[in-house]
Amino acid sequence: MTDQQPLTYDAFVELAAADPAVVGLVLKGSQSHDGMATPYSDHDLYVVVADDARTDLTRFADHRSAALDLVIVTLTEFREAGMPGWERYALARAQIVLDRLDGELARILADKARLGADEAFQDARGWLDAYANSLYRSVKNHRDGQTLAARLDAADSIRFLLELLFAIDRRPRPYNKYLEWELARHPLPGWDTDVLLRAVDRVSATGDVPLQRHLFALVETAAREAGHDEVLDAWGDDLDLMRPQ
């Protein structure tokens, strides 16, 4: 491709599909989320090559343009991508464009989409404590007249809350851009999606203390059902400040 003929997604897919070293192509990002692509959306493509293969496609490594971003990795590297890491959600909802491994790429993506039981439990413990910490600070700051600090802590708590809820369900948390998309198609068990999103929106924007406490009551129930009594009980009497009054 020349400067006058920039590399396009369709042209690259055709090129890669003709290369026997390529064992798979995986599309992530807005283009892999039905209805999320805009005129500004590029194609984010993983190019997976066999571990022992050589390919001229390496000349496109780290290619980035307004239309196409490429990541060229070996199969082993692809297995490890996002495990753990910020790429995990992107790959969990990625689409397979080409799989020459009889479904192996689909199995790899399924592993990324589902946290292991112990991994999820340990992650949830950490996120629960972080959520409680920010919530406690928000409510305490509101009580003490520190309104800006209270709102900032409330906003922080929502990040930890979402991480927690998805970890309890053994799923990587979606990026903020895809939160509504994800919940519309894959609701969190036991949670009303519309109610949860409205609460997340209001707490983030206003730090509404009664709503924070109401939300915490729901979270406490869910967390205890998931076996996290120890984390909650470590807060002792401070739980009273977080619970509905």
Side-chain angles (χ1 to χ4, degrees):
M1 306 296 167
T2 67
D3 291 340
Q4 289 72 37
Q5 296 178 308
L7 186 62
T8 66
Y9 171 74
D10 290 336
F12 182 83
V13 167
E14 182 178 355
L15 187 66
D19 189 331
V22 175
V23 296
L25 298 172
V26 177
L27 181 67
K28 67 182 182 72
S30 297
Q31 297 287 356
S32 69
H33 287 69
D34 182 48
M36 289 296 294
T38 74
Y40 305 103
S41 298
D42 62 0
H43 288 79
D44 295 293
L45 190 67
Y46 266 84
V47 184
V48 185
V49 300
D51 287 337
D52 58 352
R54 299 175 66 86
T55 173
D56 289 339
L57 293 180
T58 53
R59 70 187 188 275
F60 295 115
D62 299 322
H63 171 89
R64 294 181 63 87
S65 72
L68 179 64
D69 288 354
L70 298 176
V71 179
I72 301 177
V73 295
T74 65
L75 180 59
T76 295
E77 290 170 336
F78 185 69
R79 290 183 192 279
E80 296 172 352
M83 301 290 281
W86 62 273
E87 277 279 80
R88 187 163 188 172
Y89 174 76
L91 291 168
R93 295 297 178 213
Q95 291 183 2
I96 296 173
V97 179
L98 173 69
D99 184 353
R100 289 194 171 114
L101 300 175
D102 297 323
E104 181 62 17
L105 291 187
R107 289 187 285 272
I108 291 172
L109 294 183
D111 286 342
K112 297 180 189 299
R114 186 72 170 164
L115 277 62
D118 186 62
E119 174 189 15
F121 186 83
Q122 295 303 323
D123 285 354
R125 282 176 56 89
W127 295 125
L128 175 58
D129 199 46
Y131 166 62
N133 186 281
S134 288
L135 169 63
Y136 176 75
R137 290 176 181 277
S138 177
V139 175
K140 187 172 67 169
N141 282 327
H142 179 270
R143 179 198 64 192
D144 297 341
Q146 302 290 334
T147 55
L148 175 58
R151 288 198 304 272
L152 292 174
D153 286 326
D156 285 345
S157 77
I158 292 302
R159 174 202 165 198
F160 303 131
L161 167 65
L162 292 172
E163 295 279 7
L164 166 64
L165 296 184
F166 280 96
I168 287 176
D169 197 36
R170 295 179 57 184
R171 291 154 60 184
R173 176 198 161 180
Y175 309 144
N176 293 332
K177 178 179 181 178
Y178 301 121
L179 177 62
E180 292 176 276
W181 184 97
E182 177 75 16
L183 290 178
R185 290 158 179 79
H186 309 282
L188 289 164
W191 291 87
D192 183 300
T193 292
D194 290 338
V195 172
L196 176 60
L197 288 175
R198 284 198 298 270
V200 164
D201 185 14
R202 181 162 178 81
V203 169
S204 296
T206 70
D208 185 322
V209 169
L211 181 55
Q212 287 195 76
R213 285 172 164 152
H214 173 71
L215 196 54
F216 179 74
L218 300 177
V219 172
E220 182 174 8
T221 298
R224 290 190 184 281
E225 289 176 352
H228 298 295
D229 299 79
E230 182 181 358
V231 175
L232 289 164
D233 292 342
W235 282 87
D237 292 341
D238 289 336
L239 287 172
D240 294 335
L241 192 63
M242 305 183 219
R243 291 167 171 155
Q245 303 296 293

